[in-house]
Amino acid sequence: PMLQEFEALEDPRQSARCLYPLQEMLLVALCAVCSDADDWVHVAEWGRYKLAWLRKWLPFEQGVASHDTFSRLFGLLDPKVFEACFVRWMQRLSPALAGQSIAIDGKSLRGSHEGGADMAHIVSAWHVERGVTLGLLRTAAKSNEITAIPELLQTLDVHGATVTLDALGCQREIVEQLVERKADYVIALKNNQSGLAEAVEALFDAPEHPQAEAHEPLDKANGRLHTRRCRVCPAQRLPEALRQRWPGLRSAVRIESTREVLKGRKSAGPVTEWRYYISSRELPAAEFSQIIQQHWHIENRCHWVLDVIFDEDACRVRRD
């Protein structure tokens, strides 16, 4: 069933000279990536190690291709057709996203440019619980994420899901689309929405407004001490005119993050920063803290792999 979703993908090579059929190379690549292979060398190694298992599904008369062959083939495939096939496959795996968290974020891919050409930009939708990419779009520039996000959302059934976005996605049009699609949102807030940002900051600075609060235990790693505190205020305390401009707005959230770098036995002194969010949900502070922290899975588990795959030493992105 997996390969059936990729039947529309045409082999760009001259078929008479192909030792390794497209279907076999797709099977190896998709299964290897699902098994945590993060570059074409690892994909080819995984295929050779699993060759006996792979032959249960396809002949593999010539064995598994080299990593260079994988790199050349995937650089020639039509990216739009591949994306459409990939989205259909992911939707089959995750037909309903209700109750799930979907992180959407953009990434500039290192190594995706040649000479003076512009770097490629990808907007991805990441299924937090399952750890898979549900869809992605390539954009002409980083600023095009604002128009790419609504287009990507149209390909997903986000009914009942919680969509998390960084501050670039804090746009009324995107919020309206999520509410119309009956999805919830948790969106980072910065000065690109200055009026809303100032009102939310003032809300947490006002001592007369009680706030739900959750502390996370002290975390020590790589010579750093890190603590987080999450506070939540009901959005009803914001000015009514402001609330009406943001459909579904129910909660404002502040994350207070303190980091202390240890140098030997000495401390460089704590550094504290505050991050603000808006949400259509009403949740305990501990749950908001978890949702916000999980959003960064898309950076640590999805974008990191994209960087490796598109690195110049691993795969050159070919342009028409």
Side-chain angles (χ1 to χ4, degrees), residues 177-197:
Q177 181 184 16
L178 290 170
V179 171
E180 289 174 0
R181 306 278 306 275
K182 300 188 183 304
D184 285 304
Y185 60 83
V186 178
I187 306 178
L189 180 61
K190 289 185 178 178
N191 289 331
N192 60 324
Q193 299 293 343
S194 57
L196 180 60

Side-chain angles (χ1 to χ4, degrees), residues 13 18-21 25 40 44 64-76 318:
R13 303 167 298 174
C18 293
L19 296 177
Y20 305 100
M25 296 188 70
W40 295 124
V64 174
S66 69
H67 67 278
D68 287 331
T69 303
F70 277 103
S71 176
R72 286 193 295 270
L73 172 63
F74 278 81
L76 293 171
R318 291 163 174 79

Side-chain angles (χ1 to χ4, degrees), residues 7-316:
E7 289 180 349
L9 192 63
E10 295 184 359
D11 193 335
R13 303 167 298 174
Q14 297 179 7
S15 58
R17 299 175 58 187
C18 293
L19 296 177
Y20 305 100
L22 176 62
Q23 292 285 297
E24 292 182 357
M25 296 188 70
L26 282 172
L27 180 63
V28 174
L30 294 171
C31 290
V33 170
C34 289
S35 301
D36 287 338
D38 54 23
D39 62 19
W40 295 124
V41 173
H42 291 153
V43 167
E45 289 177 350
W46 184 93
R48 288 190 289 270
Y49 181 73
K50 291 289 187 179
L51 183 57
W53 178 82
L54 290 167
R55 282 175 169 158
K56 293 181 180 179
W57 315 105
L58 292 173
F60 286 91
E61 294 179 356
Q62 302 297 325
V64 174
S66 69
H67 67 278
D68 287 331
T69 303
F70 277 103
S71 176
R72 286 193 295 270
L73 172 63
F74 278 81
L76 293 171
L77 292 176
D78 187 320
K80 292 185 177 180
V81 177
F82 184 89
E83 176 193 341
C85 296
F86 183 84
V87 168
R88 284 196 299 271
W89 178 40
M90 288 294 100
Q91 289 177 341
R92 180 184 290 272
L93 294 178
S94 304
L97 300 175
Q100 308 295 305
S101 293
I102 310 302
I104 296 180
D105 195 18
K107 173 67 177 175
S108 299
L109 300 178
R110 72 182 186 190
S112 62
H113 53 86
E114 296 188 8
D118 293 334
M119 186 175 290
H121 303 274
I122 298 290
V123 178
S124 306
W126 178 258
H127 193 303
V128 172
E129 284 81 5
R130 298 193 180 185
V132 296
T133 300
L134 297 174
L136 52 85
L137 285 177
R138 179 170 177 165
T139 67
K142 184 73 174 175
S143 59
N144 292 99
E145 285 183 32
I146 296 174
T147 56
I149 290 172
E151 186 178 349
L152 180 58
L153 287 172
Q154 287 293 341
T155 68
L156 304 173
D157 179 11
V158 294
H159 184 284
T162 297
V163 176
T164 61
L165 295 156
D166 67 9
L168 193 61
C170 191
Q171 308 291 331
R172 288 196 300 276
E173 295 78 7
I174 294 175
V175 170
E176 289 171 355
Q177 181 184 16
L178 290 170
V179 171
E180 289 174 0
R181 306 278 306 275
K182 300 188 183 304
D184 285 304
Y185 60 83
V186 178
I187 306 178
L189 180 61
K190 289 185 178 178
N191 289 331
N192 60 324
Q193 299 293 343
S194 57
L196 180 60
E198 291 173 3
V200 169
E201 289 183 28
L203 189 65
F204 285 97
D205 291 338
E208 66 272 16
H209 291 155
Q211 305 159 17
E213 184 176 326
H215 288 268
E216 290 193 7
L218 187 70
D219 177 36
K220 183 177 181 180
N222 299 322
R224 295 180 298 178
L225 298 176
H226 190 201
T227 57
R228 286 162 50 94
R229 175 186 295 174
C230 179
R231 290 183 174 178
V232 182
C233 274
Q236 288 89 341
R237 297 197 176 102
L238 292 170
E240 183 177 356
L242 195 58
R243 295 201 313 271
Q244 290 178 351
R245 298 181 63 191
W246 295 89
L249 180 57
R250 294 184 179 178
S251 300
V253 183
R254 183 173 79 173
I255 298 290
E256 179 183 324
S257 178
T258 300
R259 184 181 59 185
E260 187 172 359
V261 179
L262 303 178
K263 296 181 178 180
R265 295 184 178 182
K266 296 182 179 180
S267 169
V271 177
T272 301
E273 63 177 6
W274 294 268
R275 299 189 297 273
Y276 297 88
Y277 301 82
I278 58 173
S279 178
S280 61
R281 302 194 65 180
E282 294 178 307
L283 295 171
E287 292 188 33
F288 269 125
S289 180
Q290 182 180 19
I291 290 173
I292 291 168
Q293 193 169 14
Q294 287 178 337
H295 173 81
W296 298 110
H297 287 187
I298 192 172
E299 180 70 28
N300 299 329
R301 300 172 62 187
C302 174
H303 290 167
W304 178 80
V305 173
L306 287 174
D307 260 344
V308 172
I309 290 177
F310 281 89
D311 189 270
E312 292 187 63
D313 293 333
C315 172
R316 298 302 296 259

